[in-house]
Amino acid sequence: MAQVVLQLAFLGALAACGDDPGTGSDSLSPGSGDVPITSKAIAAVTLEHVPHTPHVFTTSTDKEDPDGMVGADLRYDPTGESDGGLLRVVVSPTLEEDPCGEHTDGCERRQVEGGELVVVWQLEEPEEDGGFLAVVMLREDEVVYAYNAAETITKDPRDMELRFPVELLEEIVTDQRLGLTTSQAAVDAGEQIPCWRGGLGGPCEDGGPLPDESGS
């Protein structure tokens, strides 16, 4: 797996509903904290912004990824032939390369409170992959990014009607609870996710079925 430094690139290659119980808007206190963040906490915070019940996994890492990188993968509409569309949210201490790199078709960056916000995308390659959209929040001592490979990017995504649009990804990465540390409430809420998979295709920790996306 490629480094988080441009997981935008590796995820570009990778790109080929009811309310979630226990992670609603009343379950997490606002603001950051001093508790080390977990994959489950990232998922819990993200689920406040995307009120669908996904299949939720730990983002896989390897020795090439920065120490301290933590992420959650949310999969939508899986089928027997597909793992489903991917929404990935990652927190990392570093981003070693400029996110506006050679593997992108568009990039916008602007200063916001707390750092620099970067919107970057790659257009689809018909019959190859669907492209991607990512929003990166560059803070002084950490990076948060949200990556949408669940939809086909046919043009500037700021002009598209998407399930996970630019504005939504910006809300996610600027959420103060997403950082290398977070609140105890966020960590506790992550532990309440009804069925968690440690990695793609792994068993639920409690041995139970994945949540029903229909909400039934």
Side-chain angles (χ1 to χ4, degrees):
M1 181 176 296
Q3 285 180 287
V4 70
V5 303
L6 217 55
Q7 286 196 5
L8 312 172
F10 92 65
L11 288 170
L14 177 68
C17 293
D19 292 335
D20 178 59
T23 56
S25 59
D26 295 332
S27 65
L28 302 183
S29 58
S32 58
D34 58 3
V35 182
I37 201 163
T38 64
S39 292
K40 292 180 179 180
I42 292 173
V45 173
T46 301
L47 284 167
E48 286 202 339
H49 298 275
V50 289
H52 311 286
T53 304
H55 305 291
V56 194
F57 307 86
T58 300
T59 299
S60 297
T61 61
D62 61 27
K63 63 182 180 181
E64 294 185 352
D65 293 315
D67 291 340
M69 172 182 156
V70 184
D73 289 0
L74 284 62
R75 291 278 180 175
Y76 291 85
D77 307 318
T79 67
E81 299 179 353
S82 169
D83 295 325
L86 173 67
L87 177 64
R88 172 169 291 176
V89 180
V90 167
V91 176
S92 176
T94 62
L95 189 69
E96 297 177 2
E97 295 182 7
D98 189 337
C100 298
E102 60 181 311
H103 299 289
T104 65
D105 291 309
C107 189
E108 176 198 58
R109 55 201 320 158
R110 68 181 190 274
Q111 293 298 317
V112 297
E113 183 177 357
E116 183 180 33
L117 197 63
V118 183
V119 179
V120 59
W121 63 92
Q122 185 180 68
L123 300 177
E124 70 164 332
E125 296 183 13
E127 301 183 5
E128 294 292 332
D129 67 67
F132 69 81
L133 162 65
V135 176
V136 185
M137 180 65 183
L138 299 168
R139 299 180 182 140
E140 183 177 358
D141 55 357
E142 62 189 8
V143 177
V144 183
Y145 77 79
Y147 175 90
N148 174 9
E151 302 171 273
T152 301
I153 307 301
T154 59
K155 61 181 180 179
D156 187 331
R158 296 170 296 179
D159 298 326
M160 296 181 65
E161 293 186 7
L162 298 171
R163 186 179 190 181
F164 306 114
V166 171
E167 294 81 5
L168 178 59
L169 300 190
E170 290 182 354
E171 289 178 9
I172 293 171
V173 301
T174 57
D175 191 311
Q176 291 299 306
R177 294 164 298 179
L178 291 177
L180 295 174
T181 59
T182 189
S183 66
Q184 185 62 53
V187 173
D188 292 344
E191 294 300 321
Q192 300 304 311
I193 293 176
C195 184
W196 180 265
R197 291 176 180 244
L200 189 59
C204 294
E205 289 182 355
D206 62 4
L210 286 167
D212 183 351
E213 290 190 8
S214 68
S216 60

